[in-house]
Amino acid sequence: MDSDSIECVSSIDEIVEDHEIPHHNINHHPHPRHAPHHQFSSSKPHHNGTNNVNSISNIVGPTAIAPAASVHELLECPVCTNSMYPPIHQCHNGHTLCSTCKIRVHNRCPTCRQELGDIRCLALEKVAESLELPCKYYKLGCPEIFPYYSKLKHEGICIYRPYNCPYAGSECSVVGDIPFLVAHLRDDHKVDMHTGCTFNHRYVKSNPREVENATWMLTVFHCFGQYFCLHFEAFQLGMAPVYMAFIRFMGDETEARNYSYSLEVGANGRKLIWEGTPRSIRDSHRKVRDSHDGLIIQRNMALFFSGGDRKELKLRVTGRIWKEQQNPDANMCIPN
């Protein structure tokens, strides 16, 4: 990573702000200074692993009927604390664990250290079939209740599940709801925040030949009561260095379809225009980039737009965001 910097000159709704953003290290892992507003975890109660140990006799027979919460505890793997799904394994003493952890503990029971063998706890698997449990994101607003074996599939696509941090440069592992992520981007990643649905950015790079996935920018816009991420970066597309700009919506895919955006770059009587629908941040930055879903500018064209001796990148990218029912050519755009 070079120590070069990118100057980003922004004009938002007739307000021009000049500032310089340092070159980011894509291997940097920021540590949030503030704890998340929510604890995003399974709705299963956490407890000492020894309380989770039960023999088959504890779940079958005349006294087999137990409260759902107690049965749910039985279905919690004592190693990873995730819910167990078939095949559920047990040792000769009746201690259970999930199939993934069976491999991790090298076929030894983590409770009694006996060899696990290939014994399945069929009784516990049958009990699980009779359960109906709330989505683990119920504290975040999901009202759904599912049969035990359907719950996992739903949770993978639940609209209430937390979002991953959209910051592209550090593989940040922070998750949360949108208000928390906005504060996280502002406070921990020092991302520029702007209000308005039009923008005018100038990207300056003194050595445009050094791309190597190193040059990228993220700016967050607040308009129509929503948040949008404007990405700008340089990377190798095959053997050719290119620049790319695109917008992601901080929300779910169904909400993202309510908006459209345009990006424009040009100079010397020529210009390139891109128009599309913002992708949700459910889609990773890399997925959007690798699908080429945005404004792509070849380096030679970018240097042509930069003018001068073409030894310095000076790209001006303008654009706007609008709601789908609005006229994109209208001059009025009132952000919330």
Side-chain angles (χ1 to χ4, degrees), residues 26-47:
I26 61 175
N27 294 319
H28 172 62
H29 294 258
H31 298 283
R33 297 189 306 247
H34 308 288
H37 298 168
H38 304 282
Q39 181 66 36
F40 297 102
S41 62
S42 169
S43 59
K44 302 183 296 295
H46 293 278
H47 48 72

Side-chain angles (χ1 to χ4, degrees), residues 26 29 37 45 53 56 62-63 71 124 134 136 142 153 161 168-169 171-172 174 191 213-214 220 232 253 273 308 315:
I26 61 175
H29 294 258
H37 298 168
V53 176
I56 297 180
T63 58
V71 177
L124 193 56
K136 73 176 181 179
C142 183
K153 181 178 179 180
R161 70 192 189 278
E171 301 299 329
C172 181
V174 169
V191 169
N213 298 308
V220 173
F232 180 86
E253 181 181 353
I273 299 176
L315 274 183

Side-chain angles (χ1 to χ4, degrees), residues 37 176-184 186 227 250:
H37 298 168
D177 60 13
I178 298 304
F180 168 70
L181 288 182
V182 169
H184 165 67
R186 181 191 64 233
Y227 290 92
M250 295 189 70

Side-chain angles (χ1 to χ4, degrees), residues 137-330:
Y137 302 121
Y138 74 93
K139 291 183 179 179
L140 302 181
C142 183
E144 303 294 338
I145 296 177
F146 294 91
Y148 184 80
Y149 290 141
S150 301
K151 190 170 84 83
L152 187 65
K153 181 178 179 180
H154 160 77
E155 288 169 354
I157 59 173
C158 178
I159 62 173
Y160 293 94
R161 70 192 189 278
Y163 295 88
N164 294 320
C165 173
Y167 195 72
S170 64
E171 301 299 329
C172 181
S173 61
V174 169
V175 299
D177 60 13
I178 298 304
F180 168 70
L181 288 182
V182 169
H184 165 67
L185 289 170
R186 181 191 64 233
D187 299 335
D188 299 314
H189 292 297
K190 308 303 181 185
V191 169
D192 281 350
M193 301 283 174
H194 296 283
T195 298
C197 56
T198 62
F199 47 89
N200 185 340
H201 277 273
R202 187 175 60 141
Y203 297 100
V204 179
K205 178 102 171 106
S206 61
N207 189 350
R209 298 190 178 279
E210 296 181 3
V211 289
E212 302 300 331
N213 298 308
T215 304
W216 51 267
M217 294 282 299
L218 173 63
T219 307
V220 173
F221 294 92
H222 182 228
C223 59
F224 304 110
Q226 307 289 345
Y227 290 92
F228 300 82
C229 296
L230 171 63
H231 296 267
F232 180 86
E233 64 182 275
F235 63 98
Q236 294 285 146
L237 183 58
M239 297 298 293
V242 298
Y243 297 93
M244 183 174 180
F246 58 90
I247 286 181
R248 287 196 293 166
F249 174 73
M250 295 189 70
D252 221 51
E253 181 181 353
T254 52
E255 296 179 86
R257 296 194 192 105
N258 295 325
Y259 301 91
S260 295
Y261 74 96
S262 65
L263 296 172
E264 180 178 314
V265 61
N268 303 319
R270 279 86 170 168
K271 62 183 176 181
L272 296 174
I273 299 176
W274 167 268
E275 187 173 304
T277 301
R279 298 278 285 272
S280 166
I281 59 172
R282 294 284 190 207
D283 290 335
S284 70
H285 162 269
R286 182 173 294 275
K287 180 178 179 180
V288 178
R289 191 194 75 176
D290 291 349
S291 67
H292 308 157
D293 191 1
L295 176 65
I296 296 179
I297 313 155
Q298 300 291 334
R299 185 175 64 185
N300 288 340
M301 182 65 72
L303 293 177
F304 174 77
F305 288 151
S306 298
D309 57 8
R310 301 191 181 188
K311 292 183 179 180
E312 183 178 38
L313 178 73
K314 294 180 180 179
L315 274 183
R316 183 174 297 277
V317 178
T318 62
R320 68 165 62 234
I321 303 166
W322 67 90
K323 295 194 78 168
E324 193 55 42
Q325 64 267 28
Q326 288 187 330
N327 179 3
D329 296 324

